[in-house]
Amino acid sequence: MAGIVTEPWSVAENGNASMTAKGSSRELRLGRTAHSMSSSSLRKKSDLRVIQKVPYKGLKDFLSNLQEVILGTKLAILFPAIPAAIICTYCGVSQPWIFGLSLLGLTPLAERVSFLTEQLAFYTGPTLGGLLNATCGNATELIIAILALTNNKVAVVKYSLLGSILSNLLLVLGTSLFCGGIANIRREQRFDRKQADVNFFLLLMGFLCHLLPLLVEYLANGKTSAAVLSDMQLSISRGFSIVMLISYIAYLVFQLWTHRQLFDAQDQEDEYDDDVEEETAVISFWSGFVWLVGMTLFIALLSEYVVATIEEASDKWNLSVSFISIILLPIVGNAAEHAGAVIFAFKNKLDISLGVALGSATQIGLFVVPLTIVVAWILGINMDLNFGLLETGCLAVSIIITAFTLQDGSSHYMKGLVLLLCYFIIAICFFVDKLPQKQNAIHLGHQAMNNVVTATGGGVFSS
Amino acid sequence: MGSIVEPWAIAENGNANATAKGLSRELRHGRTAHNMSSSSLRKKSDLRLIQKVPCKTLKNILSNLQEVILGTKLTLLFLAIPLAILANSYHYARPLIFGLSLIGLTPLAERVSFLTEQLAFYTGPTVGGLLNATCGNATELIIAILALANNKVAVVKYSLLGSILSNLLLVLGTSLFFGGIANIRRQQRFDRKQADVNFFLLLMGLLCHLLPLLLKYAATGEASTSMINKMSLSLSRTSSIVMLVAYIAYLIFQLWTHRQFFEAQEDDDDDAYDDEVTVEETPVIGFWSGFAWLVGMTIVIALLSEYVVATIEDASDSWGLSVSFISIILLPIVGNAAEHAGAIIFAFKNKLDISLGVALGSATQISLFVVPLSVIVAWILGIKMDLNFNILETSSLALAIIITAFTLQDGTSHYMKGLVLLLCYVIIAACFFVDQIPQHQPNGIDVGLQPMNNLGEVFSA
């Protein structure tokens, strides 16, 4: 089952040998986006010597498969949190514990899903592999969003998706540029801004789609009833979601087919040029597929716990639900990508760090968010694109600051520090924001809508 | 007192610095663009008269005096200082005191800048740069703290906002416009890396102002106003600490690790002075005399600022202008006059890096240093000042930053860019000119925001 293992992970960690891979390897490499390359920095070399001693071939293969998947990451120590969370749920341990353990358990799972998608990409070819990566890259956020929807917690959905975008744009990018800038303080750090630009104008389009439903609310002038306004918001949100999904598909066509060269990691001259590296899968297609399905089920389970226990955790820890959803959840969901982006920035490979951070932000902004709205539409839940005034303002300023900072194609530590401090300020803002939440309200914090909710007895808006 | 090899003439040419060698280069590093532009207002001291005075000490004192008091083209305005003091003692019309104090502040600001530059010769480049960075906007800082001490939070906010707008639009606009007209046949370029650093710091400052504003709007009706104000206040205070951290990092970046971004460009144009100038830049007054003058001038600035802050309402009533207009437009024009003149002069000479360094550097200093410092001083004094500058002012700030950032992003300039920035400033000034909304004067945290007007009485600090 295991193919020829010529240390693909160390190849990936160097990040450069893949540049010089020839022939079929080049084809395979193109299926690896910056996303998968960065996550691979958390891989660990499997020690196969112990397994070799096991007599039965079938058992040996099974065990090496297990070792590859479960132990093949530096985050493996967090795996015990998963059974711990499950046990706690059945034993009725206090909910904040379940919440914390589930969060911890989600971190290695997200990383492993990324590893498995990369392995499957070897078998499916570059285009399909890229597609798979693009879809599963933010599997955790997507699953949390859909589960929260089915529990009718629209606020949690909106906050967690917004928090993911902010975390990618400011936190991941900020720490990468800062650490990279300090490590390379004597060198000029450059990156190709064409790739960054594509992401930015897509994010700006996404922002427009959030802004317009928000502004509709302010059309109220006493004559228009609030019900008409919210209907308007809902229908334009749904229409916009379809447009956003179309643009995302176009983005995939652009990135994986017609303008692939913009997204290929830059060529680096270094001492590994002469070694020919064969990148091959370390697990077979079907075992990979089975693992992927299994891990996704576990992610769904832990996400279920997270969504169910979030209010109690918020009460117990004295943090608002908005703070937990916007700040804590995305930090956990993004931890693997985050570490990878920082490592590549240290090595002065900024294109990869940017590809990870901006690519994730675009995926969530233009794929997960509209997909969630469409799923809500199907489920009959009224979720629109109005994320609230404060949240939309933060989104706007983040996109503008990041776009402006990156527009000249070079980087230094000051840029990273400013992005990081901006994230910190936004986090403080949501930390002090102790507004009482109305769980089932579509709009949070807006006075006009709150009157409607109480006036209609919540009948119109809760499904 | 060192040898005088016409340092001011050198500074006015602005190019000998680029060819300075060795020790002079070290000294030059302590002179930021700020210094260099103010030095364009220096005047050559005529020492012949003094030489005739027999007694040596008297001669030294007189030449010192001449250096400091008469060494600027703005000397005439010094007369306004004793006039203002007289007017105050004899209780003349308060608007008169206000006007005289404003006029008196102009040469004082310029002299403080000169003195900091002189002290920088003694303290070395890094400390000199720091000194410049802190004292560069001494006038604004002093006015802000005095207004706080008098519990006039609105005046503080308006004057600081006005300083940023003035630097971004007025100083930059006039410099680019006149520079463009004077160099109409030449390509005007500047190094955009330095400008970029300033812009993303300004954008971060904007974020810190925007969040308390949005918090207030998002929360209106949701929570009690006292809770909203408490949230806004804690957010503002924490943001101020973050802004100060960013400013310290900016100083490290500018004065230590990435100094090369901020050094004035090497001049390529053929210049008749290249071979003649022996670039000795030395101070013209001793360290302790410079220090004493600095302290003295700062005290006089504090005195005049006290008059300004005390008489601003009367002047506003008497002249028919709102307090917001006076604070946003008039005060910064006065406080910035010297830098303004210097920036225009350097733009004429096609040395845009220096003009930009002055304008953008000042804007960043005020936004990331003076504003958070004021909030922290208010915190210490127990005054409730937050970073919410209200929607009209915050929008003007946002648009000013975005327009200026966009205009300067390609690294070139022409007169049209300057004209547009200037006209934007005129538009914003017109907006505040017609804005005759009554103010809830000293104790209101928010001025001019409809729901809050009812609570002005609740929040008497």
Side-chain angles (χ1 to χ4, degrees), chain B residues 417-433:
Chain B
K417 293 189 176 186
L419 186 64
V420 167
L421 292 179
L422 206 48
L423 292 179
C424 287
Y425 188 75
V426 170
I427 292 170
I428 293 180
C431 172
F432 286 108
F433 183 76

Side-chain angles (χ1 to χ4, degrees), chain B residues 32-51:
Chain B
T32 58
H34 193 115
N35 270 335
M36 288 168 74
S37 92
S38 304
S39 61
S40 59
L41 282 174
R42 304 290 151 67
K43 213 169 65 176
K44 180 175 165 178
S45 296
D46 190 356
L47 292 169
R48 287 169 293 161
L49 218 54
I50 306 248
Q51 301 296 347

